[in-house]
Amino acid sequence: MTEPGQGQDPERVASLARRLRDWWRPEGMWRRGIVLAVSAVLLGLLMILHAHVPNAVGNLGSLLETFLPWLGMLGIPVLLTAAVLRRSTTAIVALVLPAVVWAGFFGGQVTDKRGTGGNLIVATHNVYAGNPDPAGTAREIVKAGADVVALEELAGNALPKYEEGLAKTYPYRTVHGTVGLWSKYPLSDVAPLNIKIGWTRALRATVKAPGGRQVAFYVAHLPSVDVQLDAGFTANRRDKSAAALGEAIAAERLEQVILLGDLNGTMNDRSLAPVTAQMRSAQGVAGDGFGFTYPAGFPMARIDQIMMKGIDPMSSWSLPRTGSDHLPLAASVKI
């Protein structure tokens, strides 16, 4: 006889053994979760073949590429959790495909590639036309310590406050339409840039950088894109402007070029290829993480860019949030 509370009930032990046996039964583990396994494979194939998703209907290809990193960051954990709960070895093994693909595409971006050095700091910020505190935004920009600053979406009534707040630190400046460039170094050959949208949202200027080198600076704010139920991802105006901007940069006579601005698209978006194919992203080369910039409250995509050719980016980082719906960016480069 076993006293109450002592020993173990043989039936309970046997029941537990049966449950463990059922859990680890090979045929059950491999048969369960077929739908999850297929979903994992399709997720991996979608990432691999993203360039083949057509833009003909609603610019679905560009929409997918804008949020491409999130396919893995959200899809893989969700499917993995479901596979564990379903106790499906098949689904877990199938998840290796999207995990490897995602790591191949974006693994290098999650590491810290920031270096030291550089002799010029540049910054860019879409300050937002409805910014409730342009004076405070100007103060934050000055705190960043950049040598050259580009601002986009400058509203007419707010422009005097930005000019006042930046004047002491940046003696050289030029404003065309809704974009401007402020610099600690002299500017020359300043001109608005036609990016085929009917009004001025881009400019070009030459900056006499450290060492006397002439560097071409482009500031651009490409047209916004929309996601609509009836029209899909409407980006035709943005794409046309990107082509015009790419042509201008390709025709640039100076060897060292820096592009600052809000391109309303990511480096993965094929529609920005006229620009991205000939320039390097400071964040991609010398940043820490993805550097998402929009929306400022919960950044999901990096649509603001610091790009260059003929110049080595040394470090890239995001600046503290201001009154804008975008985060400002900065990068240290070696001229």
Side-chain angles (χ1 to χ4, degrees):
M1 298 292 293
T2 302
E3 295 292 336
Q6 295 181 2
Q8 295 180 337
D9 186 344
E11 292 187 2
R12 294 182 61 186
V13 173
S15 177
L16 177 60
R18 285 193 298 270
R19 288 198 298 269
L20 289 175
R21 180 193 62 195
D22 293 340
W23 178 286
W24 293 107
R25 183 177 294 169
E27 58 269 23
M29 294 166 58
W30 289 103
R31 289 175 181 172
R32 288 189 292 261
I34 298 300
V35 173
L36 291 174
V38 171
S39 299
V41 172
L42 291 176
L43 176 62
L45 292 177
L46 183 60
M47 288 191 287
I48 293 173
L49 303 174
H50 68 87
H52 298 282
V53 177
N55 260 343
V57 179
N59 287 289
L60 289 178
S62 288
L63 178 61
L64 172 66
E65 290 163 343
T66 297
F67 299 102
L68 192 60
W70 289 96
L71 283 184
M73 291 192 294
L74 292 179
I76 294 174
V78 168
L79 289 175
L80 178 60
T81 300
V84 171
L85 294 177
R86 189 72 178 85
R87 296 175 292 180
S88 171
T89 302
T90 302
I92 293 175
V93 172
L95 277 168
V96 172
L97 174 61
V100 170
V101 173
W102 190 92
F105 281 171
F106 304 111
Q109 295 188 32
V110 299
T111 59
D112 188 350
K113 301 176 291 297
R114 292 175 296 181
T116 57
N119 55 2
L120 186 74
I121 297 178
V122 299
T124 182
H125 189 23
N126 179 327
V127 294
Y128 176 48
N131 192 321
D133 186 19
T137 298
R139 288 193 296 269
E140 289 297 324
I141 292 170
V142 171
K143 288 180 184 179
D147 300 300
V148 181
V149 174
L151 300 183
E152 305 86 46
E153 208 166 299
L154 292 166
N157 57 344
L159 179 58
K161 296 182 180 180
Y162 290 113
E163 291 181 323
E164 180 182 357
L166 300 175
K168 184 177 180 180
T169 305
Y170 302 99
Y172 307 98
R173 64 101 178 161
T174 182
V175 176
H176 289 275
T178 58
V179 297
L181 188 69
W182 279 259
S183 174
K184 295 179 180 179
Y185 300 98
L187 302 177
S188 61
D189 300 328
V190 176
L193 186 65
N194 182 10
I195 56 173
K196 309 292 180 64
I197 58 175
W199 68 95
T200 303
R201 290 192 7 167
L203 64 84
R204 183 226 176 262
T206 299
V207 174
K208 188 177 181 180
R213 294 299 299 269
Q214 301 291 309
V215 180
F217 272 78
Y218 287 78
V219 181
H221 183 191
L222 299 188
S224 300
V225 297
D226 298 303
V227 180
Q228 303 175 1
L229 292 177
D230 58 341
F233 190 61
T234 56
N236 294 334
R237 288 197 310 158
R238 192 279 311 269
D239 299 347
K240 183 178 179 181
S241 292
L245 178 61
E247 290 175 2
I249 293 173
E252 174 58 51
R253 58 184 177 80
L254 296 180
E255 295 181 358
Q256 296 184 317
V257 184
I258 293 179
L259 169 63
L260 306 171
D262 174 6
L263 303 188
N264 270 307
T266 69
M267 293 293 294
N268 298 316
D269 190 338
R270 75 190 72 168
S271 296
L272 295 186
V275 176
T276 58
Q278 57 180 318
M279 307 190 82
R280 295 194 296 170
S281 163
Q283 181 69 20
V285 175
D288 180 14
F290 289 98
F292 296 145
T293 62
Y294 182 84
F298 186 80
M300 297 181 64
R302 185 182 178 87
I303 63 175
D304 304 272
Q305 307 291 348
I306 297 177
M307 303 175 66
M308 58 203 67
K309 67 176 180 178
I311 298 172
D312 293 325
M314 309 305 294
S315 182
S316 177
W317 63 95
S318 298
L319 298 171
R321 185 179 180 181
T322 68
S324 173
D325 55 348
H326 292 243
L327 292 179
L329 306 174
S332 175
V333 303
K334 185 177 181 180
I335 301 297

